[in-house]
Amino acid sequence: MPTFEYAPAPESRAVVDIASSHGLFIGGEFVEATGGTAFKTVNPATEEVLSEVSEASADDVDAAVRAARTAYTRVWSRMSGADRGKYLYRIARIVQERARELAVLETLDNGKPIKESRDVDIPLVAAHFFYHAGWADKLSYASLGENPRPVGVVGQVIPWNFPLLMLAWKVAPALATGNTVVLKPAETTPLTALLFAEICRQADLPPGVVNIVTGAGATGQAIVDHPGIDKLAFTGSTGVGKMIARSIAGTRKRATLELGGKGANIVFDDAAIDQAVEGIVTGIFFNQGHVCCAGSRLLVQENVADEVLRRLKRRLGTLRVGDPMDKNTDVGAINSKAQLERIQALTEAGEAEGAERWDSGCELPAHGYWFRPTVFSGVAQTHRIAQEEIFGPVVSVLTFRTPGEAVAKANNTPYGLSAGVWTEKGSRILWMADQLRAGVVWANTFNKFDPTSPFGGYKESGYGREGGRHGLEAYVTTGGGQ
Ligand code: TAP
């Protein structure tokens, strides 16, 4: 069926002013890294260098932890919850005021479509600060235990798929509960975190309450190893999560780990098929599939599998892949060359193991990192594309006959982060939700996020929850004493 053409609808980048180099944000000031080394951050849609960013050494991390400790003992832990809340409300309002600038910068540095950064990421960032601002003076009513108090200085390390949103998930609850933070954004997406540092200054946040150190894995490791860190909050791959768990074993440090996933999106034969197809698209092609809770394994009841696949492929033919700054774009650029290579390697393994590969054949831009939305059918549970996280726009399709088989296949993974169920039967939704070993189960929808709702995993998807009342627990200590 022919589709009509869209005229270009480019978002202007004039709203952002990207400095050619960036320092570290320590003690409320932008400072040079002591080692003097820097790395480049590029726009993955064009390979254009956007800026040079300082690489924090262990000494810089030490300075940031000391600044956070001073702010913690002298100011932040002593401040009333109501006053802390005022700062969080102020940050939330500034995020809203500067939303367009933040969305454009996020899209340039990450490659995600502007309509996603504008309509999903940045509004959720503001919502997280508003939500946690509301908790700041009500912690004793949150059923966290007797006398909830902050833990101290928190080290936070985040990935590149939702750069500013992951920062908000980490910083908002930490600050609301009276902790101070040292945060490292991912190497490929540091720019919105640095703009957030500027927002902290604009909000007059006391110096040292938020410190941002840019760098690669070694900088993250320096945070993990620093003896002045009381708690770690990490989001990233299961491999690095395991290394962190090993590094802090036997120390007094607490940790929450939000790791990888291989979510099952399960479609029963009584589901509204067109709605389910939209949910499959949202589940795996939103944010180029760079989503830890993506519905990357599609389980379809056998008697409707051909029909679902047919409609899914037709729908994928209408997805617009290309310039992330175009407001009509559905699928943007892959975040980095390294990630593109990983997706290519795993999809080649899928073909080699015998699964049937299909893509829409859409045209791709000549520069930058791109991958066509791809469907693998005839996938066996043992295939690597059914077991390993691809973290790209690739869905692996398996079939089932009975609800029991669907549950067994869905749970046959080392991960346990998310699942989706598509059926018209409420009782089946409740039964499935009870059986599925996943931190989040969506029913007749997928990839919905809300600051009031706890998020986190089972098994190799990590431990601890972020968001909601449960997410506050990780940031407080309770019981007698001071
Ligand atoms: P990772 O390679 O694990 O990187 C995550 C963060 O850890 C980055 O800031 C990274 O720095 C840093 N890091 C790397 N090595 C480190 C070390 N030895 N010690 C301390 N920090 C270290 O993951 P990624 O490729 O950025 O992100 C994709 C993964 O994150 C996927 O597996 C995805 O499922 C998971 N993820 C999970 C969630 C939740 S909520 N469960 C959300 C988003 C993503 P550099 O970037 O500079 O290397």
Side-chain angles (χ1 to χ4, degrees):
M1 193 176 62
T3 53
F4 55 90
E5 291 297 318
Y6 283 76
E11 172 67 73
S12 165
R13 65 182 277 179
V15 66
V16 299
D17 183 14
I18 306 176
S20 57
S21 66
H22 286 85
L24 311 170
F25 185 63
I26 298 178
E29 302 291 333
F30 286 98
V31 297
E32 291 300 316
T34 51
T37 50
F39 58 94
K40 293 180 171 58
T41 184
V42 303
N43 177 345
T46 59
E47 299 174 57
E48 168 206 4
V49 174
L50 295 170
S51 184
E52 282 217 346
V53 179
S54 299
E55 183 174 13
S57 64
D59 286 345
D60 298 316
V61 168
D62 182 51
V65 173
R66 279 188 283 112
R69 177 66 59 193
T70 305
Y72 176 75
T73 43
R74 296 203 187 147
V75 186
W76 201 245
S77 64
R78 296 172 174 213
M79 195 182 277
S80 72
D83 283 341
R84 286 199 309 272
K86 286 180 198 165
Y87 284 103
L88 288 163
Y89 278 123
R90 204 181 286 169
I91 290 171
R93 285 195 299 269
I94 299 172
V95 167
Q96 286 186 321
E97 282 162 18
R98 302 182 71 169
R100 184 149 165 252
E101 186 183 353
L102 287 164
V104 168
L105 190 60
E106 195 75 303
T107 284
L108 290 173
D109 204 19
N110 171 281
K112 64 175 69 199
I114 186 71
K115 72 174 177 191
E116 287 178 7
S117 44
R118 182 196 61 195
D119 298 345
V120 182
D121 295 53
I122 308 303
L124 276 173
V125 170
H128 268 271
F129 280 99
F130 277 121
Y131 173 74
H132 286 95
W135 270 125
D137 61 348
K138 302 174 195 68
L139 297 174
S140 9
Y141 309 105
S143 307
L144 299 170
E146 193 195 333
N147 188 19
R149 309 180 295 288
V151 177
V153 175
V154 181
Q156 306 183 319
V157 179
I158 57 173
W160 44 261
N161 56 342
F162 292 94
L164 194 63
L165 184 56
M166 288 299 107
L167 174 149
W169 280 28
K170 298 270 179 284
V171 172
L175 264 47
T177 44
N179 302 280
T180 57
V181 310
V182 176
L183 177 135
K184 188 194 92 66
E187 186 183 0
T188 58
T189 53
L191 294 183
T192 46
L194 293 164
L195 184 51
F196 180 81
E198 210 179 294
I199 288 173
C200 291
R201 279 166 61 118
Q202 194 182 340
D204 275 332
L205 191 71
V209 172
V210 169
N211 303 275
I212 296 187
V213 287
T214 44
T219 305
Q221 188 73 51
I223 295 177
V224 171
D225 292 341
H226 197 290
I229 293 287
D230 298 301
K231 176 202 154 43
L232 279 158
F234 172 77
T235 297
S237 59
T238 295
V240 175
K242 284 181 180 174
M243 278 166 51
I244 291 177
R246 277 195 292 273
S247 300
I248 64 168
T251 72
R252 62 181 176 81
K253 289 175 194 167
R254 294 163 56 166
T256 39
L257 302 176
E258 300 282 1
L259 310 176
K262 193 75 188 171
N265 203 0
I266 306 165
V267 181
F268 284 95
D269 60 3
D270 63 347
I273 300 290
D274 283 333
Q275 285 174 28
V277 166
E278 286 310 307
I280 296 164
V281 172
T282 308
I284 183 64
F285 300 111
F286 166 65
N287 203 37
Q288 295 70 247
H290 300 329
V291 183
C292 50
C293 53
S296 52
R297 284 182 303 149
L298 174 62
L299 302 188
V300 194
Q301 201 153 16
E302 196 177 83
N303 53 331
V304 290
D306 288 347
E307 179 64 11
V308 169
L309 262 182
R310 193 179 60 75
R311 294 199 211 183
L312 176 63
K313 288 175 181 173
R314 190 180 65 190
R315 177 69 179 92
L316 295 183
T318 67
L319 283 186
R320 290 178 298 277
V321 182
D323 182 6
M325 288 289 279
D326 190 309
K327 294 173 210 160
N328 289 324
T329 291
D330 296 308
V331 179
I334 300 303
N335 178 251
S336 64
K337 189 161 179 278
Q339 186 60 23
L340 179 60
E341 286 167 359
R342 181 174 158 74
I343 297 168
Q344 284 164 340
L346 273 164
T347 47
E348 279 160 23
E351 271 183 288
E353 286 182 318
E356 189 180 324
R357 179 180 186 151
W358 178 93
D359 69 52
S360 64
C362 64
E363 246 178 71
L364 297 179
H367 298 288
Y369 315 126
W370 303 94
F371 199 85
R372 290 191 185 92
T374 297
V375 178
F376 275 102
S377 50
V379 177
Q381 292 187 79
T382 50
H383 288 168
R384 286 182 67 195
I385 54 170
Q387 288 292 328
E388 295 179 34
E389 190 177 37
I390 300 174
F391 222 58
V394 182
V395 65
S396 301
V397 187
L398 297 92
T399 58
F400 66 91
R401 291 182 183 169
T402 62
E405 188 185 347
V407 167
K409 284 185 169 167
N411 287 342
N412 181 18
T413 165
Y415 296 112
L417 197 53
S418 69
V421 181
W422 297 82
T423 172
E424 64 162 21
K425 291 187 184 61
S427 56
R428 183 177 280 165
I429 290 169
L430 294 175
W431 184 82
M432 292 289 291
D434 201 38
Q435 304 290 312
L436 290 166
R437 196 84 180 125
V440 186
V441 179
W442 286 289
N444 293 325
T445 188
F446 210 95
N447 271 343
K448 289 277 179 279
F449 307 99
D450 190 290
T452 64
S453 177
F455 184 92
Y458 287 102
K459 301 193 281 185
E460 294 202 3
S461 290
Y463 43 77
R465 293 292 177 266
E466 291 190 309
R469 190 189 62 74
H470 302 74
L472 299 169
E473 283 170 7
Y475 287 98
V476 296
T477 181
T478 57
Q482 285 301 305

